[in-house]
Amino acid sequence: MDTDKTETKAAGRPVVKRVLMVVAMLLTAFHLLASFLWIAPSSTARQVIPGNLLSEYMIPLWGQSWSVFAPEPINGDYYFDVRAVVKTDGGGEEVTDWVRATDVELDHSTYRPFPPRSAGLGIGVASDIKGSWEDLPNDQKAIVKLDYFKGDDSVDRLTTKLKEYEDPDGAVGGYLESEHLATAYATQVAKAIWGEDVQRVQYQAARQNVVPFAQRNDDDAERPNIQPVPVGWRALVSGPHQSDEEFAKYFCASDEVRCADEQ
């Protein structure tokens, strides 16, 4: 009987190995496909992977960009500034100064051979909303400047207003996704710096190009002006997978900022 059990176990091992090999091959194939679609120029081919699965899979661990090399090198800096309205001890409200969140984030990677991947988070958020905003028609850009923070339906009211005007290229949907991400990020930055008394936030994403290559040897050459994305005041946004506590531990580890527990 013992011999039969041993033979049965031995016979079952190849089946388990085959199943594991098939699973590993499928995972590898998916990873290669996702990586190809992610770094390739944006196209309808990305629809092969449904919903937001592609971005949710790539951004946390595998996000990358070849724009450092081609079609042309990175030629500008992105900034993401945040300020907030906070409740005072007397029951009133006051507006804080602007804080450049991207400078705080970059401090986590400057002169560090093994920087955290999150050190580029603010730059990524700024780049994303800057691109989405540029795709908007002028009517919608004017609406984005307005304040939408009162009531639980502020996002719905903003969405309705943006869709009242023509959107020939269908840019509104993409912009709203970018704004949701930017507002959630700004909310965490504000709470990390000013604590739980934050009532609403305002942020400004911007890009500034470097001195043009043709003027690289000109001592009097100056960088072009900053290209801002003007966004009004927004209600706080918290995502289901966000941790304000963990974000504050990471963000406030920089010497570039004084956070709520230090003030």
Side-chain angles (χ1 to χ4, degrees):
M1 292 295 293
D2 292 340
T3 302
D4 292 341
K5 290 181 179 179
T6 301
E7 291 178 351
T8 301
K9 290 181 180 178
R13 287 171 185 165
V15 176
V16 174
K17 289 182 178 179
R18 291 192 185 97
V19 172
L20 292 176
M21 288 178 62
V22 170
V23 171
M25 291 173 63
L26 291 175
L27 290 175
T28 302
F30 174 78
H31 178 74
L32 292 174
L33 174 62
S35 298
F36 171 77
L37 293 175
W38 187 254
I39 64 177
S42 180
S43 68
T44 55
R46 290 191 175 186
Q47 297 176 3
V48 171
I49 299 180
N52 297 324
L53 180 58
L54 179 61
S55 60
E56 291 177 354
Y57 174 73
M58 293 300 299
I59 289 178
L61 294 175
W62 315 112
Q64 56 184 302
S65 171
W66 296 113
S67 60
V68 173
F69 309 104
E72 60 184 25
I74 294 174
N75 60 356
D77 296 317
Y78 284 96
Y79 308 118
F80 194 90
D81 300 332
V82 179
R83 68 175 178 174
V85 168
V86 297
K87 186 183 297 184
T88 63
D89 294 337
E93 293 182 339
E94 66 178 14
V95 180
T96 69
D97 293 330
W98 288 98
V99 171
R100 181 150 290 177
T102 41
D103 284 356
V104 178
E105 298 254 23
L106 287 174
D107 184 55
H108 290 289
S109 61
T110 304
Y111 305 122
R112 299 185 183 184
F114 302 104
R117 289 184 60 85
S118 53
L121 180 60
I123 293 175
V125 172
S127 174
D128 180 61
I129 194 171
K130 179 74 164 62
S132 298
W133 177 83
E134 287 180 342
D135 292 337
L136 287 176
N138 290 332
D139 288 333
Q140 281 85 343
K141 286 180 179 177
I143 294 169
V144 167
K145 293 181 181 180
L146 305 178
D147 299 333
Y148 283 88
F149 62 85
K150 295 182 179 179
D152 295 333
D153 65 339
S154 60
V155 175
D156 294 334
R157 288 188 285 108
L158 172 61
T159 301
T160 300
K161 194 66 176 178
L162 288 173
K163 292 184 177 180
E164 287 181 359
Y165 297 87
E166 293 186 4
D167 180 24
D169 297 324
V172 168
Y175 173 78
L176 287 170
E177 290 181 4
S178 297
E179 180 171 301
H180 178 83
L181 175 63
T183 308
Y185 174 72
T187 298
Q188 287 201 307
V189 169
K191 287 185 175 181
I193 300 174
W194 298 293
E196 294 301 319
D197 290 330
V198 171
Q199 303 299 297
R200 53 188 178 273
V201 294
Q202 186 179 31
Y203 51 87
Q204 179 174 272
R207 173 185 168 89
Q208 185 177 27
N209 291 340
V210 299
V211 172
F213 184 78
Q215 302 177 25
R216 66 190 184 282
N217 296 320
D218 183 356
D219 294 335
D220 296 326
E222 297 182 356
R223 297 185 66 172
N225 293 331
I226 289 179
Q227 308 159 37
V229 176
V231 178
W233 289 96
R234 296 293 184 261
L236 306 182
V237 170
S238 295
H241 303 297
Q242 288 181 276
S243 171
D244 293 340
E245 181 180 354
E246 292 301 318
F247 180 86
K249 287 180 181 178
Y250 150 74
F251 190 81
C252 296
S254 168
D255 295 330
E256 294 291 319
V257 66
R258 291 181 63 236
C259 290
D261 58 353
E262 301 173 318
Q263 297 178 17

